[in-house]
Amino acid sequence: MENACIEGYHAHVYFDAQSVEQARALRERVSETFDHALGRFHEKNVGPHPRWSFQIAFAPDAFGTIVPWLALNRKGLTVFVHGLSGDDIYDHTELVMWLGNSVELNLEGLK
């Protein structure tokens, strides 16, 4: 996508039944440490995300703070980070970064 502009970022922290309390603790730490918008805590798959998750929304100028912090504090949880350009498919396939193991997204709902 030529001339794409990244307007912001989402970080989706993935977890499951075995790591739900770990995810709750991380979400609480994010809330105490940063002033970023936190999405709902989903104990089900939502949208293209193949695991339970919660979202952190942040501006481009916060990338250098929040992403390294998540890398250091995720304690084994997978974090999917993507840019926001206005094109959902592009955002979830090209403007991506994984902290931990990557997983295949369900892109059908984005088309």
Side-chain angles (χ1 to χ4, degrees):
M1 180 175 189
E2 282 188 47
N3 302 320
C5 181
I6 297 175
E7 300 294 330
Y9 289 93
H10 286 167
H12 301 273
V13 178
Y14 290 164
F15 56 94
D16 57 22
Q18 289 73 40
S19 58
V20 67
E21 291 309 317
Q22 181 181 345
R24 284 186 200 284
L26 180 62
R27 189 175 191 279
E28 183 63 28
R29 287 196 60 209
V30 169
S31 173
E32 293 169 352
T33 306
F34 300 102
D35 187 27
H36 299 301
L38 286 171
R40 291 188 187 111
F41 195 87
H42 295 286
E43 293 183 52
K44 63 181 182 178
N45 297 357
V46 175
H49 307 289
R51 302 230 173 108
W52 300 356
S53 65
F54 71 88
Q55 174 185 285
I56 307 160
F58 54 97
D61 63 354
F63 186 93
T65 303
I66 188 72
V67 173
W69 188 92
L70 286 168
L72 292 170
N73 291 279
R74 65 185 183 83
K75 296 184 180 173
L77 295 173
T78 294
V79 181
F80 170 60
V81 181
H82 67 84
L84 300 171
S85 72
D87 180 331
D88 283 342
I89 296 292
Y90 183 73
D91 295 351
H92 288 80
T93 58
E94 297 296 324
L95 298 181
V96 303
M97 171 187 227
W98 292 93
L99 305 175
N101 297 325
S102 64
V103 295
E104 188 172 342
L105 299 177
N106 178 7
L107 300 175
E108 287 303 312
L110 298 179
K111 294 180 181 175

